[in-house]
Amino acid sequence: MKWTALLSVAAAVVGSFLAFTQHASGHTDEKVPPNYEVQIPAGYRDWKLISVAHEAGNLNDIRAILGNDEAIKAYREEKFPFPDGTIIARLAWKYVPSEENNKVFGSEQSFVAGSPTNVQFMVKDSRRYSATGGWGFAQFTNGKPLNEAEPKPCFSCHEPAKARDFIFTHYAP
Amino acid sequence: MKWTALLSVAAAVVGSFLAFTQHASGHTDEKVPPNYEVQIPAGYRDWKLISVAHEAGNLNDIRAILGNDEAIKAYREEKFPFPDGTIIARLAWKYVPSEENNKVFGSEQSFVAGSPTNVQFMVKDSRRYSATGGWGFAQFTNGKPLNEAEPKPCFSCHEPAKARDFIFTHYAP
């Protein structure tokens, strides 16, 4: 990696961060209901891995939970509650068997990520989202927000994890 | 993020890269058989996500496939074969049900990452590993290499994926 490439990366990181903070700290756009204000954070697909999971049943997905630098730092240092600025992204894909892999293993055992289902974000801002444990919630399918999902229902499911700052996912070492 | 923090990250990235290239381009340590020379690359746990998978059966794990910058660039630009310098990491953890999540979903549907099982790496160096498709292979459990695993058996399982440069994993968007 050359320094020029590195500086590009650095610039992208700073840009993403500024883009986010501008949004998060800006005045509420009157056209956007505050409940739906969480946007897709720039560069989230590049974030570090927190853990992975599989939801069977109706969801039938396989998922990865990624975190921005604040999230990863808090997880690794086990410093909870998460600081303001933390964003956690939950990506999910259809849970599909891999015939190609099964042939190699000689057994029907391999399941991989198919097409994406939706992406969810939790954004920590203890003042702005004080009514929902300090977290703003959002879900996007093909880049479009799920406007029907008010933060309250998202939050009510996360309430049992209050002792871990409303986050279920444990860091996978 | 402050510039000082960013520069620390940049320094770490460069440091990791130099550490790897020093190893990869250095003379073979005579005490280490060439077949077992692939080391754990510095900073691999911070790499970007390629995809996720679940292997049932005897493996019974849930896994994440991460890539260094060369790997991610090739995947995203769909430029194969992968360039020399590419490293792909396969992390795996025990596949365990999450009682906590199941309570929230109201259904026995949630499986998460338990304790780590092992980590595998594929390192692309088309000259050094010309006998095995240009890839060096390694597996580590608790940081210790699986010396019994010669690259040939790893490679023989990967041969069916020759059309995709011996890599089974597709990039999960």
Side-chain angles (χ1 to χ4, degrees), chain A residues 1 46 56 76 109 172-173, chain B residues 45-46 56 69 76 93 109-110:
Chain A
M1 186 182 294
D46 290 345
R76 291 181 179 171
Q109 67 170 62
Chain B
R45 187 59 184 75
D46 289 345
D69 287 343
R76 291 182 180 171
W93 302 269
Q109 67 169 62
S110 188

Side-chain angles (χ1 to χ4, degrees), chain B residues 3 11 15 21-22 24 28 35 50 89 92 98 113 126 132 135 137 154 164 166 171:
Chain B
W3 273 105
T21 50
Q22 278 177 343
T28 304
N35 284 353
I50 298 169
S98 168
S126 49
T132 49
W135 292 98
F137 297 82
C154 294
R164 296 204 314 282
F166 307 101
Y171 183 82

Side-chain angles (χ1 to χ4, degrees), chain A residues 1 6 14 17 45-46 49-50 53-56 69 76 93 95 100 105 109-111 164 171-173, chain B residues 1 6 14 17 45-46 49-50 52-56 69 76 93 95 100 105 109-111 164 171-173:
Chain A
M1 186 182 294
L6 202 67
V14 171
F17 182 72
R45 186 60 185 73
D46 290 345
L49 180 75
I50 297 168
H54 163 49
E55 294 298 333
D69 287 344
R76 291 181 179 171
W93 302 269
Y95 181 71
E100 186 180 28
F105 283 115
Q109 67 170 62
S110 188
F111 299 88
R164 295 204 315 280
Y171 183 82
Chain B
M1 186 182 292
L6 202 67
V14 171
F17 182 73
R45 187 59 184 75
D46 289 345
L49 181 74
I50 298 169
V52 292
H54 163 51
E55 294 299 333
D69 287 343
R76 291 182 180 171
W93 302 269
Y95 181 71
E100 185 180 30
F105 283 115
Q109 67 169 62
S110 188
F111 299 87
R164 296 204 314 282
Y171 183 82

Side-chain angles (χ1 to χ4, degrees), chain A residues 100 104, chain B residues 88 90 120-122 132 135 137 151-169:
Chain A
E100 186 180 28
V104 174
Chain B
I88 293 171
R90 193 280 284 140
Q120 294 180 340
F121 300 100
M122 286 179 67
T132 49
W135 292 98
F137 297 82
K152 279 280 187 190
C154 294
F155 176 62
S156 63
C157 275
H158 279 262
E159 278 191 300
K162 186 177 180 182
R164 296 204 314 282
D165 198 16
F166 307 101
I167 300 289
F168 288 101
T169 302

Side-chain angles (χ1 to χ4, degrees), chain A residues 48-52 65 71-76 78 80 164 168-173, chain B residues 45-46 91 93 113-114:
Chain A
K48 291 166 189 165
L49 180 75
I50 297 168
S51 193
V52 291
I65 297 89
I72 296 294
K73 187 171 188 288
Y75 265 116
R76 291 181 179 171
E78 298 183 357
F80 308 110
R164 295 204 315 280
F168 289 102
T169 302
H170 297 261
Y171 183 82
Chain B
R45 187 59 184 75
D46 289 345
L91 293 73
W93 302 269

Side-chain angles (χ1 to χ4, degrees), chain B residues 99-113:
Chain B
E99 288 184 26
E100 185 180 30
N101 294 4
N102 288 340
K103 269 187 205 168
V104 174
F105 283 115
S107 159
E108 302 284 320
Q109 67 169 62
S110 188
F111 299 87
V112 297

